[in-house]
DNA sequence: AATAAGTCGTGAGCAATTTCACAATATTAT
DNA sequence: ATAATATTGTGAAATTGCTCACGACTTATT
C-alpha cells in the first residue's frame, strides 16, 4: 500500500511536532541542517525521509515551513480525530489521563476502564472511567487501546479487545501479548528501556568523539 | 569494547525477564522456538543473539534455563545495583516512583528532585524527594537520570546534569536535548509512539497473514 | 551580469539486522 | 543399537536503513 520505510514512518510524528514549533515561532523557512540539529537526526536522513513523499523543498532555499507542515498534517491525518481507550487506571494510566495528548495531536483518550469500583464513575482529566465489565458495550467504534493493567491481566483483556474488534494496542505491561496477525501491537517496556540504557552505559562507553 | 550488535543488546533485558519467569515456573529447558513464542522474536534471531556470547545451548536439546539465566545475570550485571535519580515528580514521575523497578531488576530509583515546595521533603514509594536546588549536592555518585519535567525545563536541567557528571539520561520530555558526545540519551516519546501506531494502522494495514 | 554561497534530491556504497536453510549433534523411542 | 525426532549454531543471502558526496538549482551579493 505505502512504500514509505518503517524507519521513516516512525520519525514523521517527530518532524511534525518540530515543524509545528517552528511555525508557532513564526519561522518561514527551514533547512534540513537546522531541523537536524533540533530533532537530532542526520540531515541526509531527513532529506531522504522527505524525498519519499516527493520534492518538498527547493534547492538552495530549504523547506517552506507552512507548506511542509500542511503536507505532513494531511499525511499524518491530523485532521481526523482518532479515539483511543485506556484500560487500567492505575499509576501509569492516571498519568496518561492527566496528560492532554490533544495539545499537539489528533489523538484523544475518549474513555477509560478499570476493575476498581472506587474509580468507576469518576472522571480523570475530562475522561470518564467505566467498569471493565462494560467494555464491549461502551467501546464501539474505538479501534485503539492503551494497556496499563497488571501483566497478569494482559492476556485476558487482550482477548476481549480482539473479540471486540480492536486494530491496534499500545502495550505498557511487561507481558508479550498474543494477537491475530491483522492486529498491530507496539510494546513500550519501560523497565527494559532502563535496563538497556544501563547496559549500554557499561558496555558501550562513549568517548568525546561520539 | 564489546562486539554485541546494538539490536541484540536491546533485547537482552527482555530475554532475561522471560528466562526468570520460566525459572520460577520450574522449567528446566527451553528451545529457541518456545522462547520465540513467548517474547515474540523470531527464533533464528534468538539463536543468533545468543551465539554472540558463544555456544550456550545444546543441539537437539535446547537451552538449560538455569544456566542461561545465570549467564545473563552476569552479562547484564544483575549483581551490581545501579542507582538512578528521577527529576520531576509530576504525573509521570510519581507513577515511576510508585513502581518498584527493583522487583525484577538491578536498578533502583534512589532519589527524586522537584521544584515544588509541597513535594520536597516527602517520600513517594520509599524514595525521598529533594529540592532541585540541592541536586548537585545530593546527587554525587548517581550517573543515570530519568527526566520527567516539563519540556521547557529540559535544556536547563540537562546542562546541570551534564556539569554534575551524568553519563546517561532517560528522557521522557518531548524536547530533544543536546549533550556532549560522551553522554548517552535514550528518548521515550509517548506521544510520538501513539501517533506512530495510529499512522501504521492507517497506512500499513495488516492482513491475516501478518 | 556574474559570482559566491547555500541547499536539495539522490545515486551509490556501506553498515546493520534479519532470515533462510542445513549440517551437526543430542535425545527419545523401539 | 538403530531409527526417528528435535534443535542448535552459522554461512550466506536478503532486507532494511544510513551516510557520503555531488550535480543541479536557488538566492544573495557585488
Ligand atoms: N508505573 C510504572 O512506572 C510502570 C513501569 C513499567 C511498567 N509498568 C507496567 O504498567 C502496568 C500498569 O502499572 P501501574 O503502576 O499503573 O499499575 P497499577 O497497579 O497502579 O494499576 C493497574 C490498574 O489496573 C486495574 N486493573 C486490574 N485488573 C484489571 C482488569 N482486569 N481490568 C481493568 N482494570 C484492571 C487496577 O484496578 C489498577 O487501577 C503494569 O503492567 C506495570 O507492570 C508500570
Ligand atoms: N504524563 C504523561 O502521560 C506524559 C505523556 C507524554 C509525555 N509526557 C512528558 O513528560 C514530562 C512530564 O509530564 P507530567 O505529566 O508528569 O508533567 P507534570 O507537570 O505533572 O510534572 C512535572 C513536574 O516537574 C516539576 N518541575 C517543574 N520544573 C522543574 C524544575 N526546573 N526542576 C525540577 N522539577 C521541576 C513540577 O513541579 C512537576 O512536579 C513532560 O515533559 C511531558 O511532556 C508526559
Amino acid at each position: 500500500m505505502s512504500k514509505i520505510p518503517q524507519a521513516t514512518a516512525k520519525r514523521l510524528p517527530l518532524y511534525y511536532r518540530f515543524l509545528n514549533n517552528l511555525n508557532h515561532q513564526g519561522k518561514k523557512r527551514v533547512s534540513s541542517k537546522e531541523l537536524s540539529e533540533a530533532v537530532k537526526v542526520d540531515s541526509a536522513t531527513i532529506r531522504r525521509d522527505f524525498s519519499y513523499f516527493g520534492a518538498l523543498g527547493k534547492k538552495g532555499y530549504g523547506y517552506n515551513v507552512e507548506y511542509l507542515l500542511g503536507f505532513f498534517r494531511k499525511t499524518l491525518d491530523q485532521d481526523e480525530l482518532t479515539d483511543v481507550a485506556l484500560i487500567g487506571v492505575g499509576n501509569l494510566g492516571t498519568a496518561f489521563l492527566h496528560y492532554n495528548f490533544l495539545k499537539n495531536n489528533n489523538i484523544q483518550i475518549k474513555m477509560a476502564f478499570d476493575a476498581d469500583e472506587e474509580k468507576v464513575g469518576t472522571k480523570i482529566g475530562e475522561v470518564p472511567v467505566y467498569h471493565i465489565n462494560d467494555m464491549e458495550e461502551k467501546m464501539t467504534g474505538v479501534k485503539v487501546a492503551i494497556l496499563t493493567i497488571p501483566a497478569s491481566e494482559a492476556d485476558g483483556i487482550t482477548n476481549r479487545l480482539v473479540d471486540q474488534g480492536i486494530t491496534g494496542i499500545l502495550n505498557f505491561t511487561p507481558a508479550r501479548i498474543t494477537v491475530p496477525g491483522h492486529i498491530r501491537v507496539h510494546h513500550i517496556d519501560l523497565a527494559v528501556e532502563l535496563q538497556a540504557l544501563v547496559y549500554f552505559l557499561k558496555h558501550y562507553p562513549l568517548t568525546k568523539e561520539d
Side-chain angles (χ1 to χ4, degrees), chain A:
Chain A
M1 178 174 183
S2 185
K3 61 263 156 279
I4 309 299
Q6 301 224 352
T8 296
K10 283 194 197 164
R11 284 187 289 265
L12 296 182
L14 189 62
Y15 296 146
Y16 181 74
R17 181 199 293 152
F18 277 86
L19 287 170
N20 226 337
N21 291 351
L22 291 177
N23 196 42
H24 277 112
Q25 287 162 28
K27 222 153 174 318
K28 292 294 176 213
R29 57 185 267 193
V30 66
S31 68
S32 61
K33 186 151 167 288
E34 278 176 286
L35 204 49
S36 169
E37 276 151 28
V39 300
K40 315 289 179 197
V41 170
D42 186 273
S43 68
T45 300
I46 292 178
R47 291 199 301 281
R48 174 81 58 194
D49 283 346
F50 287 2
S51 78
Y52 293 117
F53 298 96
L56 302 177
K58 270 201 271 190
K59 299 184 178 180
Y61 176 88
Y63 301 90
N64 179 296
V65 172
E66 210 167 317
Y67 174 77
L68 202 54
L69 189 62
F71 183 85
F72 278 122
R73 196 195 328 277
K74 272 178 281 156
T75 302
L76 287 170
D77 310 298
Q78 291 290 320
D79 297 329
E80 301 172 40
L81 195 62
T82 301
D83 288 335
V84 172
L86 182 141
I87 327 277
V89 186
N91 292 309
L92 209 49
T94 303
F96 294 160
L97 292 178
H98 279 120
Y99 190 73
N100 189 352
F101 278 103
L102 263 181
K103 253 180 282 177
N104 301 299
N105 243 301
N106 59 332
I107 292 168
Q108 170 177 226
I109 302 179
K110 190 78 175 294
M111 56 186 79
F113 298 95
D114 204 289
D116 183 344
E117 297 288 355
E118 299 230 336
K119 291 168 181 163
V120 171
T122 65
K123 277 197 170 201
I124 300 180
E126 307 283 292
V127 181
V129 180
Y130 302 123
H131 197 282
I132 187 69
N133 289 349
D134 301 334
M135 186 175 83
E136 286 79 359
E137 175 199 334
K138 301 275 187 193
M139 222 178 128
T140 52
V142 178
K143 295 294 180 198
V144 180
I146 299 176
L147 222 56
T148 47
I149 50 178
S152 56
E153 304 291 320
D155 284 334
I157 297 290
T158 298
N159 289 339
R160 286 176 57 187
L161 286 169
V162 168
D163 291 343
Q164 179 273 339
I166 205 85
T167 61
I169 297 176
L170 194 60
N171 176 28
F172 285 90
T173 79
R176 252 36 185 188
I177 57 184
T178 303
V179 295
H182 60 287
I183 295 174
R184 186 176 282 273
V185 179
H186 284 201
H187 294 278
I188 302 187
D189 198 321
L190 301 173
V192 164
E193 299 284 349
L194 193 50
Q195 277 190 285
L197 173 62
V198 169
Y199 180 83
F200 276 110
L201 291 176
K202 292 199 184 163
H203 295 83
Y204 300 74
L206 299 171
T207 66
K208 297 274 170 184
E209 358 296 325
D210 261 334

